[in-house]
Amino acid sequence: MILLLIVVIYLYASIPFSLLVGLYNGIDIRQNGSENIGGSNLGRLCGKKAFIIGFILDGSKGAIVVLIANIFDFNPLILFPFALLGHALPIFTKFKGGKGVSTSFGFVLTYTFWLAIIAITIFLIILKLFKYVSLASMLSIFSYCILTVIFLNRPIYSLVVFSLCMVVCYLHKENIIRIKAKTEPKVSWI
């Protein structure tokens, strides 16, 4: 049963929602901007509305993990890495995917609602101040890690979240280089 759930979660997470939203708006985000099929590139190329739609759809990849885990009485921490894997290495786009931020937010929003709301608020504040989606994403996920240590008495969960945070930051390594070089594209719609 768990193997079937893993396959279903991976395949659902492989659906390139941000790419599809971009195509709906007449832009192939694989060939424009940073050429990444994640929400950041979608937002820069197609604007705020497209970013929000892509963020929600990609977020559903993480949220569905918690729902499936609850239905089948599995630990969602065992299943979530496969959603992150599907989003970052999707079979439908030759294993070139997003960086896992919205998928991670969908998971934590469903699993620990109030801590996720705080992290999303931090995301919006940093985005408003600096205009870098990647920076806001990494700092808000790191903030969420700290929040789990402070407010949850679940060391295993905090450790898993921190590990996944490191994966997300690693996937942003090119963004980090561009931020340091001041060549990272900023969003103009916030």
Side-chain angles (χ1 to χ4, degrees), residues 11 24 33 83 92 107 166:
L11 290 176
Y24 178 80
F92 303 127
F107 176 80
M166 293 299 100

Side-chain angles (χ1 to χ4, degrees), residues 7-27:
V7 170
V8 167
I9 287 167
Y10 171 80
L11 290 176
Y12 180 73
S14 288
I15 299 170
F17 288 122
S18 289
L19 172 62
L20 297 175
V21 172
L23 292 172
Y24 178 80
N25 284 278
I27 296 177

Side-chain angles (χ1 to χ4, degrees), residues 61-82:
K61 298 172 182 182
I64 201 168
V65 169
V66 178
L67 298 175
I68 288 173
N70 286 340
I71 291 169
F72 293 97
D73 197 29
F74 283 113
N75 184 336
L77 293 178
I78 294 170
L79 299 174
F80 177 67
F82 298 99

Side-chain angles (χ1 to χ4, degrees), residues 1-181:
M1 174 59 88
I2 194 162
L3 289 178
L4 178 61
L5 294 179
I6 286 169
V7 170
V8 167
I9 287 167
Y10 171 80
L11 290 176
Y12 180 73
S14 288
I15 299 170
F17 288 122
S18 289
L19 172 62
L20 297 175
V21 172
L23 292 172
Y24 178 80
N25 284 278
I27 296 177
D28 187 340
I29 63 175
R30 294 171 298 187
Q31 297 173 4
N32 293 281
S34 68
E35 299 180 356
N36 182 272
I37 67 165
S40 298
N41 196 34
L42 174 67
R44 283 192 296 268
L45 294 169
C46 299
K48 182 178 183 179
K49 183 178 177 183
F51 173 79
I52 291 170
I53 293 169
F55 188 85
I56 291 169
L57 290 172
D58 283 341
S60 73
K61 298 172 182 182
I64 201 168
V65 169
V66 178
L67 298 175
I68 288 173
N70 286 340
I71 291 169
F72 293 97
D73 197 29
F74 283 113
N75 184 336
L77 293 178
I78 294 170
L79 299 174
F80 177 67
F82 298 99
L84 195 59
L85 184 68
H87 181 75
L89 299 170
I91 193 169
F92 303 127
T93 54
K94 299 179 182 176
F95 305 104
K96 293 180 181 177
K99 295 175 182 171
V101 174
S102 42
T103 301
S104 298
F105 272 129
F107 176 80
V108 299
L109 190 64
T110 313
Y111 196 62
T112 56
F113 181 78
W114 289 110
L115 296 184
I117 292 297
I118 296 169
I120 290 170
T121 302
I122 291 168
F123 170 86
L124 293 172
I125 290 169
I126 295 168
L127 184 59
K128 181 74 174 172
L129 291 174
F130 298 101
K131 311 288 192 226
Y132 293 127
V133 175
S134 55
L135 179 66
S137 300
M138 288 183 287
L139 290 179
S140 60
I141 288 176
F142 184 71
S143 300
Y144 178 79
C145 292
I146 293 169
L147 291 168
T148 65
V149 172
I150 295 169
F151 293 107
L152 299 179
N153 187 21
R154 299 188 220 165
I156 299 296
Y157 180 71
S158 296
L159 183 62
V160 170
V161 167
F162 182 76
S163 301
L164 294 173
C165 176
M166 293 299 100
V167 170
V168 169
C169 287
Y170 174 77
L171 293 172
H172 280 87
K173 62 187 181 297
E174 292 175 9
N175 301 85
I176 294 168
I177 292 167
R178 287 194 300 265
I179 288 169
K180 287 181 180 178

